[in-house]
Amino acid sequence: MTVVLVVVIVLLLVLLSAGTVVTVRRRQADADGAAPAGLRRRRAPEAGAEPPSRPTGVAGAEPGAPPAGEVVGPPGSEAARPEAPVREAAEPGAALAEEAAAGAGPPRLRDRLGRARDLFGSSLAGLRSRGRVDEAAFEDLEEALLLADVGLPTAGRLLDALREQVRAGQVEDSPDAMVAALRADIAGLFDGEDRSLGRAAEGTTVWLFVGVNGVGKTTTIGKLAAAEARAGRRVVLAAGDTFRAAAGEQLELWAERSGAGIVRGAEGADPSSVIFDAVQHAAARGADLVLADTAGRLHTKVNLMDELAKVRRIADRPPGHVSEVLLVLDATTGQNGLVQARQFAEAVDVTGVVLTKLDGTAKGGIVLAIRAELGLPIKLVGLGEGAADLVAFDPEDFVSALFE
């Protein structure tokens, strides 16, 4: 019995000692303003809280623009600001040279539009099986266009024009002739458009990329930087998407891969100041081109679109010259992309469209809707994940891919 009492007393003393240690550690943590490892808890940000205030004072930028955080560039480059840390990128073009040696090359539209071609082709098969052109044939054709996500307004205009040609005797009374006439009308939508990427006659050329979150802006910039590097041009990337945690890191990986320089800002920094510094840096080192990323934003938020207009104004200040504002759209969103395009075009004077993920959708008809309803040229299309899978849009190749 005595032994049991001794054991119980020892255990109580041990427990009291442990509690005292924990209490002391907690008091020490309160005194130091932070808990020791193992007891420290991270406070979650309050819902809807505003980002922390940021310093201001970028030369030439509008009020509220903080300085960029760091400048990264290939060997021999100079920082836009003397105090900005410089880290060297990979040897220019090294990764691209390895791809070229492996035989990587740009794909063709017709080779990557399998889903759109199969859907549109199967819809046209029912039309071609008819012996004559009647209203049912036009209904089949309308169904094919709508399934391809051409959209009702564009499909209606194409069919009205085709009906008029049939009534005027300009198209033979056969389904094959009607399909051929439709193909010619679709190809005609792209007549006279300028699909080239503009470059400044003086100063530093800036291409600004805009769009909602998730459409592939950062990846598009990286692929285009690789293409420009293959063409022998010196490129600086501006990591203006400072509100998405991984955007800067993602763009830096592309910069290392292509040998481009990159200017990054602190997380949450004003995108305008980052792009302003990138232009200054590019001008100082004689670079040919600045590719500027921007934070994804909802096209329905007026304040965010106003901020984007400010970004464009800052990017266009000497020595910078914004010769392209490229709206990046996800082809898989179909007609929803038209709503986005209208709002962005009003805010920043969009000069052209980059259509990503075109290889992964059956909604290839969105190409026609963008051209017919918005009058914007599609300048680039994304056809895969590789660096060489961003290609110039070729209307003839696109139409052939749909109808053959």
Side-chain angles (χ1 to χ4, degrees), residues 55-71:
T56 62
V58 172
E62 294 191 358
E70 65 179 355
V71 180

PDB file of all heavy atoms in Angstrom, residues 55-71:
ATOM      1  N   PRO A  55       3.977  51.258 -50.149  1.00  0.00           N
ATOM      2  CA  PRO A  55       4.648  52.537 -50.338  1.00  0.00           C
ATOM      3  C   PRO A  55       4.418  53.074 -51.720  1.00  0.00           C
ATOM      4  O   PRO A  55       4.081  52.340 -52.641  1.00  0.00           O
ATOM      5  CB  PRO A  55       6.131  52.189 -50.112  1.00  0.00           C
ATOM      6  CG  PRO A  55       6.224  50.725 -50.422  1.00  0.00           C
ATOM      7  CD  PRO A  55       4.913  50.145 -49.988  1.00  0.00           C
ATOM      8  N   THR A  56       4.577  54.352 -51.875  1.00  0.00           N
ATOM      9  CA  THR A  56       4.387  54.981 -53.170  1.00  0.00           C
ATOM     10  C   THR A  56       5.667  55.658 -53.594  1.00  0.00           C
ATOM     11  O   THR A  56       6.643  55.704 -52.879  1.00  0.00           O
ATOM     12  CB  THR A  56       3.252  56.016 -53.093  1.00  0.00           C
ATOM     13  OG1 THR A  56       3.633  57.016 -52.153  1.00  0.00           O
ATOM     14  CG2 THR A  56       1.944  55.371 -52.668  1.00  0.00           C
ATOM     15  N   GLY A  57       5.636  56.185 -54.836  1.00  0.00           N
ATOM     16  CA  GLY A  57       6.762  57.023 -55.217  1.00  0.00           C
ATOM     17  C   GLY A  57       7.538  56.576 -56.423  1.00  0.00           C
ATOM     18  O   GLY A  57       8.712  56.888 -56.543  1.00  0.00           O
ATOM     19  N   VAL A  58       6.962  55.787 -57.351  1.00  0.00           N
ATOM     20  CA  VAL A  58       7.680  55.420 -58.567  1.00  0.00           C
ATOM     21  C   VAL A  58       7.750  56.612 -59.497  1.00  0.00           C
ATOM     22  O   VAL A  58       6.744  57.224 -59.805  1.00  0.00           O
ATOM     23  CB  VAL A  58       6.968  54.243 -59.275  1.00  0.00           C
ATOM     24  CG1 VAL A  58       7.604  53.993 -60.612  1.00  0.00           C
ATOM     25  CG2 VAL A  58       7.031  53.009 -58.402  1.00  0.00           C
ATOM     26  N   ALA A  59       8.929  56.900 -59.970  1.00  0.00           N
ATOM     27  CA  ALA A  59       9.086  58.052 -60.865  1.00  0.00           C
ATOM     28  C   ALA A  59       8.284  57.834 -62.134  1.00  0.00           C
ATOM     29  O   ALA A  59       8.435  56.827 -62.794  1.00  0.00           O
ATOM     30  CB  ALA A  59      10.564  58.238 -61.203  1.00  0.00           C
ATOM     31  N   GLY A  60       7.448  58.780 -62.457  1.00  0.00           N
ATOM     32  CA  GLY A  60       6.681  58.701 -63.699  1.00  0.00           C
ATOM     33  C   GLY A  60       5.395  57.927 -63.572  1.00  0.00           C
ATOM     34  O   GLY A  60       4.610  57.895 -64.491  1.00  0.00           O
ATOM     35  N   ALA A  61       5.180  57.233 -62.451  1.00  0.00           N
ATOM     36  CA  ALA A  61       3.965  56.452 -62.293  1.00  0.00           C
ATOM     37  C   ALA A  61       2.894  57.298 -61.627  1.00  0.00           C
ATOM     38  O   ALA A  61       3.168  58.334 -61.040  1.00  0.00           O
ATOM     39  CB  ALA A  61       4.246  55.211 -61.438  1.00  0.00           C
ATOM     40  N   GLU A  62       1.659  56.842 -61.701  1.00  0.00           N
ATOM     41  CA  GLU A  62       0.561  57.560 -61.088  1.00  0.00           C
ATOM     42  C   GLU A  62       0.595  57.349 -59.574  1.00  0.00           C
ATOM     43  O   GLU A  62       1.229  56.421 -59.069  1.00  0.00           O
ATOM     44  CB  GLU A  62      -0.762  57.055 -61.678  1.00  0.00           C
ATOM     45  CG  GLU A  62      -0.893  57.396 -63.151  1.00  0.00           C
ATOM     46  CD  GLU A  62      -2.295  57.145 -63.661  1.00  0.00           C
ATOM     47  OE1 GLU A  62      -3.115  56.674 -62.883  1.00  0.00           O
ATOM     48  OE2 GLU A  62      -2.551  57.455 -64.817  1.00  0.00           O
ATOM     49  N   PRO A  63      -0.086  58.219 -58.797  1.00  0.00           N
ATOM     50  CA  PRO A  63      -0.086  58.063 -57.344  1.00  0.00           C
ATOM     51  C   PRO A  63      -0.520  56.664 -56.944  1.00  0.00           C
ATOM     52  O   PRO A  63      -1.439  56.098 -57.519  1.00  0.00           O
ATOM     53  CB  PRO A  63      -1.105  59.114 -56.887  1.00  0.00           C
ATOM     54  CG  PRO A  63      -1.076  60.147 -57.969  1.00  0.00           C
ATOM     55  CD  PRO A  63      -0.840  59.392 -59.246  1.00  0.00           C
ATOM     56  N   GLY A  64       0.162  56.123 -55.924  1.00  0.00           N
ATOM     57  CA  GLY A  64      -0.179  54.800 -55.427  1.00  0.00           C
ATOM     58  C   GLY A  64       0.677  53.705 -56.006  1.00  0.00           C
ATOM     59  O   GLY A  64       0.518  52.549 -55.664  1.00  0.00           O
ATOM     60  N   ALA A  65       1.611  54.015 -56.912  1.00  0.00           N
ATOM     61  CA  ALA A  65       2.427  52.985 -57.534  1.00  0.00           C
ATOM     62  C   ALA A  65       3.703  52.782 -56.740  1.00  0.00           C
ATOM     63  O   ALA A  65       4.500  53.694 -56.608  1.00  0.00           O
ATOM     64  CB  ALA A  65       2.771  53.394 -58.967  1.00  0.00           C
ATOM     65  N   PRO A  66       3.949  51.585 -56.183  1.00  0.00           N
ATOM     66  CA  PRO A  66       5.152  51.343 -55.413  1.00  0.00           C
ATOM     67  C   PRO A  66       6.300  50.906 -56.310  1.00  0.00           C
ATOM     68  O   PRO A  66       6.081  50.549 -57.463  1.00  0.00           O
ATOM     69  CB  PRO A  66       4.728  50.183 -54.501  1.00  0.00           C
ATOM     70  CG  PRO A  66       3.766  49.423 -55.334  1.00  0.00           C
ATOM     71  CD  PRO A  66       3.033  50.445 -56.171  1.00  0.00           C
ATOM     72  N   PRO A  67       7.516  50.914 -55.789  1.00  0.00           N
ATOM     73  CA  PRO A  67       8.636  50.467 -56.602  1.00  0.00           C
ATOM     74  C   PRO A  67       8.592  48.979 -56.839  1.00  0.00           C
ATOM     75  O   PRO A  67       8.060  48.229 -56.044  1.00  0.00           O
ATOM     76  CB  PRO A  67       9.856  50.841 -55.740  1.00  0.00           C
ATOM     77  CG  PRO A  67       9.326  50.896 -54.339  1.00  0.00           C
ATOM     78  CD  PRO A  67       7.911  51.366 -54.458  1.00  0.00           C
ATOM     79  N   ALA A  68       9.161  48.549 -57.953  1.00  0.00           N
ATOM     80  CA  ALA A  68       9.232  47.123 -58.246  1.00  0.00           C
ATOM     81  C   ALA A  68      10.209  46.474 -57.279  1.00  0.00           C
ATOM     82  O   ALA A  68      11.108  47.109 -56.747  1.00  0.00           O
ATOM     83  CB  ALA A  68       9.687  46.903 -59.676  1.00  0.00           C
ATOM     84  N   GLY A  69      10.032  45.153 -57.068  1.00  0.00           N
ATOM     85  CA  GLY A  69      10.845  44.484 -56.074  1.00  0.00           C
ATOM     86  C   GLY A  69      12.205  44.055 -56.561  1.00  0.00           C
ATOM     87  O   GLY A  69      13.203  44.261 -55.901  1.00  0.00           O
ATOM     88  N   GLU A  70      12.292  43.448 -57.736  1.00  0.00           N
ATOM     89  CA  GLU A  70      13.578  42.969 -58.199  1.00  0.00           C
ATOM     90  C   GLU A  70      13.592  42.873 -59.708  1.00  0.00           C
ATOM     91  O   GLU A  70      12.559  42.787 -60.359  1.00  0.00           O
ATOM     92  CB  GLU A  70      13.909  41.611 -57.578  1.00  0.00           C
ATOM     93  CG  GLU A  70      12.966  40.498 -58.004  1.00  0.00           C
ATOM     94  CD  GLU A  70      13.358  39.173 -57.383  1.00  0.00           C
ATOM     95  OE1 GLU A  70      14.398  39.117 -56.711  1.00  0.00           O
ATOM     96  OE2 GLU A  70      12.636  38.196 -57.601  1.00  0.00           O
ATOM     97  N   VAL A  71      14.796  42.890 -60.243  1.00  0.00           N
ATOM     98  CA  VAL A  71      14.987  42.786 -61.679  1.00  0.00           C
ATOM     99  C   VAL A  71      15.844  41.565 -61.941  1.00  0.00           C
ATOM    100  O   VAL A  71      16.876  41.371 -61.307  1.00  0.00           O
ATOM    101  CB  VAL A  71      15.693  44.031 -62.240  1.00  0.00           C
ATOM    102  CG1 VAL A  71      15.891  43.896 -63.742  1.00  0.00           C
ATOM    103  CG2 VAL A  71      14.881  45.273 -61.935  1.00  0.00           C
TER     104      VAL A  71
END
